[in-house]
Amino acid sequence: MFNPFMAVSPTVPADPSPDLSFSSVFGLLKPQMSELDCFLRLQLEAFEPEIRSMVDYCIDTSGKRIRPALVFLSGWRNEPVVSPDLIKAAAVVELVHLATLVHDDIMDSAELRRNRRTAAREYGAAAAVLLGDALFSHALNLSTQFPTTEVCRAVSDSMRKVCAGEIVQTLRRGTTNVTADDYRRIIDLKTAELFHLSCYLGSHLAGYSESFVSATSRFARRLGSAYQVYDDLADFFGNEQQIGKTLGTDLASGKLTLPLFALSARLPEPSRVQLFEEIQGRRPPDFAERLGQMKELGVFQIVEAEIGQELAVGEAELALHAGEPPTARLLRLTDVLRGQVARLKP
Amino acid sequence: MFNPFMAVSPTVPADPSPDLSFSSVFGLLKPQMSELDCFLRLQLEAFEPEIRSMVDYCIDTSGKRIRPALVFLSGWRNEPVVSPDLIKAAAVVELVHLATLVHDDIMDSAELRRNRRTAAREYGAAAAVLLGDALFSHALNLSTQFPTTEVCRAVSDSMRKVCAGEIVQTLRRGTTNVTADDYRRIIDLKTAELFHLSCYLGSHLAGYSESFVSATSRFARRLGSAYQVYDDLADFFGNEQQIGKTLGTDLASGKLTLPLFALSARLPEPSRVQLFEEIQGRRPPDFAERLGQMKELGVFQIVEAEIGQELAVGEAELALHAGEPPTARLLRLTDVLRGQVARLKP
């Protein structure tokens, strides 16, 4: 869940085709990202001295910071100055995201994230549960530094939804009585919600009209869903070297994602039964076999089409706002994501 | 940590000497507690449908609700009407407390709480991590329903401190390079902080003067510390039947509490080394032996004196405010706690 972004990070070789990577869009956010890093470092002071080094360990700078980028892009004004409100909001969404990563890594018993030991591995699961809680708390505390309760309300609301999505996903692991619609609901809650929050906060705090704020938020929701489907597709069609994580983890952990739904709908009965037994943990997962079947049955194209449709709906949300400064910048993200998907093509 | 209160709960035989139980004080809060229960039930609607039954499981009505009681008592006005603001604040502190219980039970691998399977046991540790998060999020979301960001700020600040206290305690488990001052700092963060928040919110929302709000908050901090020390004392001197939990869990889990500090300071060198080996998990804990030594060396009296001193400082905080309606009611709590401690006397 919430896999870190796949493109460049300081410890990974640079993306060979930068025009199709998120970093190409994020390049224009260098001043913002640099201020965000400073701001996040300063937040250490807010934590009790005993846990500062642990918080510092979590707030590393190697993440892609996609959610902060959405805050900055949706709040874009053609002005040279970096808005302190946007920096703070970006820190809030990043801290919420980092907290969910810390908790996710406990549940997945993950060893590494971004080429370092996870917090759960470094400090133990028990401390990691609490460390995630402390990050959540501080995100909310930062939210209270805005003049009204609006930001805090939006953030806590999204946090609850993200958790609900992850709970449902956790409870459904290893079961096959899940529908593709259940899956869409889960990714809407666990991933799209925080994308939505990021654009809501960015455009709202930048003072854009209610109708534009609502448009960027709806756009972000679609982008978030599309991104999660792409991420789930990469779990089968990705290149381990390139995406920096083991493939086939969804199949191995009994998580029914869209590529698996598409596959199961197209498999003949005996093979489908086998697939379901793999999901249920009653038969060892055969990744190579499943990937072969996906290639044979055109699963890539089916999922790619769903991503494309999701992005098209997202783009349409911004159609009436072509003249606003954030619009063109946000739309570049959909192009980049389409490019990333295309590069997975078998 | 955060053990549920020991006195009466619906499924446990009634306390034989009600004048010395918390329920004697809480009796006057019946209308408030009943409204709080209704309010908490209504909150289920705020959670995504898929997780409502899990939240419902956590928001049971058998807890002692000490923190809500502090909200109501510190915000006491001699008026028959129950303030909706106090109900909401009471729900906030109780939800934060319940969230910490859900997370604590994961860490302690606890099977039962209040005679029911813990959420971790019922839904699995992974879901319980997220369920705790969802409860935290909703507590914060409720906090945003007050007109200003003040409540939300105080709640998120306290939440972070509670987590910091629990992290430090978790990291120190099984180690003996902890001082009694470290212990006091841990219980101040993990227990006293939420007592403090409860009285702050109660008296502040009831419109009391800044100086009175500050006095009740300081009082609550001392009460909270004293309560935690009592709880730790009961882990040795309690009656399993009466307090409804297994004794000796602190020794068994390598947690150095005040009774153990007092004991180790008075043990001759060879015995102290043995005790430290038990804490470090290098020797099986010998509860009967340790309890015998505590009785012999007057540990009960030493710890009782520390509780008494903590309560006396707390009471002194209210000395200048004898005329305010909450004062006498809050002070009854210190008498009750003294009585509870006296009943543990060997």
Side-chain angles (χ1 to χ4, degrees):
Chain A
M1 305 169 260
F2 283 111
N3 295 306
F5 261 68
M6 279 127 212
V8 270
S9 91
T11 50
V12 163
D15 193 310
S17 41
D19 51 319
L20 286 181
S21 79
F22 285 102
S23 51
S24 70
V25 184
F26 297 174
L28 85 144
L29 298 176
K30 262 197 177 158
Q32 287 85 346
M33 291 298 182
S34 151
E35 286 208 29
L36 172 64
D37 280 337
C38 292
F39 186 87
L40 285 171
R41 296 261 148 241
L42 282 175
Q43 297 317 303
L44 290 178
E45 295 294 311
F47 291 85
E48 281 53 47
E50 295 96 327
I51 68 168
R52 269 178 215 159
S53 66
M54 301 170 68
V55 174
D56 192 24
Y57 189 85
C58 296
I59 308 183
D60 68 49
T61 54
S62 65
K64 280 299 293 174
R65 308 232 191 274
I66 174 85
R67 293 154 193 82
L70 288 173
V71 172
F72 295 132
L73 292 173
S74 62
W76 189 270
R77 290 274 185 198
N78 291 320
E79 291 160 4
V81 72
V82 179
S83 149
D85 273 0
L86 292 190
I87 299 288
K88 196 179 285 170
V92 167
V93 295
E94 186 66 6
L95 286 171
V96 169
H97 176 59
L98 290 173
T100 64
L101 292 185
V102 169
H103 282 179
D104 278 358
D105 287 340
I106 301 167
M107 285 174 267
D108 298 346
S109 309
E111 293 273 327
L112 294 176
R113 175 173 295 275
R114 294 170 189 159
N115 301 321
R116 292 197 318 166
R117 287 153 67 102
T118 61
R121 190 81 196 137
E122 187 74 13
Y123 304 110
V129 170
L130 298 161
L131 184 58
D133 293 347
L135 291 170
F136 268 136
S137 306
H138 189 59
L140 265 310
N141 199 260
L142 275 180
S143 310
T144 66
Q145 293 177 16
F146 292 93
T148 69
T149 56
E150 216 161 0
V151 174
C152 201
R153 189 173 310 144
V155 173
S156 56
D157 212 49
S158 290
M159 257 173 61
R160 196 199 59 245
K161 286 181 182 156
V162 170
C163 296
E166 304 237 21
I167 292 174
V168 177
Q169 173 174 278
T170 301
L171 293 177
R172 298 254 164 102
R173 268 194 194 190
T175 68
T176 47
N177 60 344
V178 189
T179 66
D181 277 347
D182 292 334
Y183 165 81
R184 288 188 191 96
R185 161 103 172 135
I186 289 170
I187 67 172
D188 180 63
L189 290 168
K190 78 164 188 163
T191 308
E193 180 62 31
L194 218 48
F195 277 57
H196 170 273
L197 174 71
S198 301
C199 280
Y200 166 78
L201 291 179
S203 51
H204 172 70
L205 291 170
Y208 282 107
S209 71
E210 214 173 290
S211 98
F212 186 61
V213 171
S214 164
T216 65
S217 309
R218 289 195 309 267
F219 161 82
R221 193 175 279 291
R222 297 304 185 146
L223 179 71
S225 286
Y227 177 72
Q228 186 59 57
V229 176
Y230 153 72
D231 196 41
D232 293 342
L233 191 62
D235 194 49
F236 288 95
F237 293 90
N239 172 314
E240 290 202 357
Q241 203 67 25
Q242 220 161 28
I243 71 171
K245 57 165 199 165
T246 319
L247 297 185
T249 53
D250 290 339
L251 179 66
S253 67
K255 213 160 87 185
L256 268 176
T257 59
L258 203 60
L260 287 169
F261 280 116
L263 176 63
S264 81
R266 276 147 196 89
L267 280 180
E269 187 61 22
S271 298
R272 184 168 48 240
V273 170
Q274 283 185 2
L275 169 61
F276 278 10
E277 285 173 354
E278 289 177 18
I279 295 290
Q280 293 161 355
R282 291 159 52 205
R283 165 195 288 265
D286 189 340
F287 178 72
E289 169 81 5
R290 299 304 156 205
L291 181 59
Q293 291 170 334
M294 283 185 180
K295 286 177 180 171
E296 205 176 304
L297 295 165
V299 164
F300 182 87
Q301 288 70 15
I302 295 160
V303 176
E304 186 183 32
E306 172 134 354
I307 294 173
Q309 202 193 332
E310 201 70 16
L311 291 176
V313 175
E315 287 166 338
E317 301 285 6
L318 292 174
L320 292 175
H321 305 274
E324 299 288 8
T327 301
R329 288 168 179 88
L330 288 171
L331 290 177
R332 277 181 64 190
L333 292 176
T334 62
D335 285 338
V336 166
L337 187 53
R338 276 198 194 89
Q340 302 263 46
V341 173
R343 284 162 63 199
L344 297 178
K345 197 167 206 151
Chain B
M1 307 167 259
F2 282 113
N3 296 306
F5 263 67
M6 278 130 210
V8 270
S9 91
T11 49
V12 162
D15 192 311
S17 41
D19 50 319
L20 286 182
S21 80
F22 283 101
S23 51
S24 70
V25 184
F26 296 174
L28 85 144
L29 298 176
K30 263 199 175 156
Q32 286 85 344
M33 291 297 183
S34 150
E35 285 208 29
L36 172 63
D37 280 337
C38 292
F39 185 86
L40 284 172
R41 296 261 147 242
L42 282 175
Q43 297 316 302
L44 290 179
E45 296 295 311
F47 292 85
E48 281 53 47
E50 296 96 328
I51 67 168
R52 270 179 212 157
S53 66
M54 301 170 69
V55 174
D56 191 25
Y57 189 86
C58 296
I59 308 182
D60 68 49
T61 54
S62 64
K64 280 300 294 173
R65 307 232 191 273
I66 173 85
R67 292 155 194 81
L70 288 173
V71 172
F72 295 131
L73 292 173
S74 60
W76 189 271
R77 290 275 186 198
N78 291 320
E79 291 160 3
V81 71
V82 179
S83 149
D85 273 0
L86 292 190
I87 298 289
K88 196 180 286 171
V92 167
V93 295
E94 186 66 5
L95 285 171
V96 169
H97 176 59
L98 290 173
T100 64
L101 292 184
V102 169
H103 281 180
D104 279 358
D105 287 340
I106 302 167
M107 286 174 265
D108 298 346
S109 310
E111 293 272 327
L112 294 176
R113 177 174 293 276
R114 294 169 190 159
N115 301 321
R116 291 196 321 165
R117 286 153 69 101
T118 61
R121 190 84 195 132
E122 187 74 12
Y123 304 110
V129 170
L130 298 161
L131 184 57
D133 294 346
L135 291 170
F136 268 137
S137 307
H138 189 58
L140 265 309
N141 199 259
L142 275 180
S143 310
T144 66
Q145 293 177 15
F146 292 93
T148 69
T149 56
E150 217 162 0
V151 174
C152 201
R153 189 172 311 145
V155 173
S156 57
D157 211 49
S158 289
M159 257 173 60
R160 196 200 59 245
K161 286 181 181 157
V162 170
C163 296
E166 304 237 20
I167 291 175
V168 177
Q169 173 174 278
T170 301
L171 293 177
R172 299 253 164 103
R173 268 195 193 187
T175 68
T176 47
N177 60 344
V178 189
T179 66
D181 277 346
D182 292 334
Y183 165 82
R184 288 187 193 97
R185 161 102 172 136
I186 288 170
I187 68 172
D188 181 63
L189 289 168
K190 77 163 188 162
T191 309
E193 181 60 33
L194 218 48
F195 278 57
H196 170 272
L197 174 71
S198 302
C199 280
Y200 166 78
L201 291 179
S203 52
H204 172 70
L205 291 169
Y208 282 107
S209 71
E210 213 173 292
S211 99
F212 186 61
V213 170
S214 164
T216 64
S217 309
R218 290 196 308 269
F219 161 82
R221 194 175 278 290
R222 297 304 185 147
L223 180 71
S225 285
Y227 176 72
Q228 185 59 58
V229 176
Y230 153 71
D231 196 41
D232 294 340
L233 191 62
D235 194 51
F236 288 95
F237 293 90
N239 173 314
E240 289 202 357
Q241 203 68 27
Q242 220 161 27
I243 71 171
K245 58 165 198 163
T246 319
L247 298 185
T249 53
D250 290 337
L251 179 65
S253 67
K255 212 160 88 185
L256 267 177
T257 59
L258 203 60
L260 286 169
F261 281 115
L263 176 63
S264 82
R266 277 148 196 89
L267 279 180
E269 187 60 22
S271 297
R272 183 168 51 239
V273 170
Q274 283 184 3
L275 169 61
F276 278 10
E277 286 174 354
E278 290 177 16
I279 295 290
Q280 293 160 355
R282 292 160 50 205
R283 167 195 286 266
D286 188 341
F287 178 73
E289 170 81 3
R290 300 303 156 205
L291 182 59
Q293 291 169 335
M294 283 186 181
K295 287 178 178 169
E296 205 176 301
L297 296 165
V299 164
F300 181 89
Q301 287 71 14
I302 295 160
V303 176
E304 184 183 32
E306 173 134 353
I307 293 173
Q309 203 193 330
E310 201 69 16
L311 291 176
V313 175
E315 286 165 339
E317 300 285 7
L318 293 173
L320 293 175
H321 305 274
E324 299 289 9
T327 300
R329 289 170 179 86
L330 289 171
L331 289 177
R332 277 181 64 191
L333 292 175
T334 62
D335 285 338
V336 166
L337 187 53
R338 275 197 194 87
Q340 302 263 46
V341 173
R343 284 163 63 199
L344 296 178
K345 197 168 207 148

